Amino acid sequence: ESRQETERKDGLLKKQRDKFTSVMDKAKQRMQEAVTRSDTELEASEAELNIQRAEVDRLRAQLDAILRDSRDWEVKLVNSEKLRSELEEQVQCLRSSASVLGGQALRKQVTEL
C-alpha cells in the first residue's frame, strides 16, 4: 500500500511539475513575444524619430538660407538707400550749378542787350 501511495504521489507530483513547466513555458513564450513586439515598436519609433530629426535638419537649413538671404537683402537695401542719398546730393549740386550757370547766362544776355 505504501508503495502504491508513493507511486500515486509521484504521479501527482509529475503531473503538477509537467503542468507548472507547461505554464512557465507559455509564460516565457508570451514574454519573449512581448519583448519582440517591444523591440519592433522601439525600432519603428526610432525610425520615426530619425525621420523627424531629418525634417528638423532640413527645415533648419531652409531657415538658415532664408536668414542669409534676408541679411543680403538688408545689406542691399542699406546700400541702395546710401546710393539714393548720394544721388540726391549730386542732383542738388547739379541744380545749384545749373542755377548759377543759368544766372550767368541770363546776365550775359542782359549785358549783350
Side-chain angles (χ1 to χ4, degrees), residues 2 54 103:
S2 172

Side-chain angles (χ1 to χ4, degrees), residues 35-52:
V35 167
T36 301
R37 271 194 313 276
S38 293
D39 287 349
T40 301
E41 291 170 358
L42 180 62
E43 288 171 5
S45 294
E46 287 174 344
E48 181 63 27
L49 180 62
N50 287 336
I51 290 169
Q52 290 174 351

Side-chain angles (χ1 to χ4, degrees), residues 54-101:
E55 182 67 8
V56 165
D57 291 344
R58 185 184 67 78
L59 291 172
R60 187 173 288 133
Q62 282 182 341
L63 179 60
D64 289 345
I66 289 169
L67 290 174
R68 272 193 309 278
D69 287 348
S70 172
R71 281 187 233 112
D72 289 346
W73 279 105
E74 188 176 349
V75 167
K76 288 176 184 176
L77 179 62
V78 167
N79 288 340
S80 69
E81 287 175 358
K82 286 179 184 175
L83 181 60
R84 184 176 57 83
S85 178
E86 290 172 8
L87 287 174
E88 285 177 357
E89 288 177 22
Q90 289 177 359
V91 165
Q92 286 292 51
C93 287
L94 288 174
R95 282 184 182 152
S96 295
S97 297
S99 176
V100 168
L101 290 174

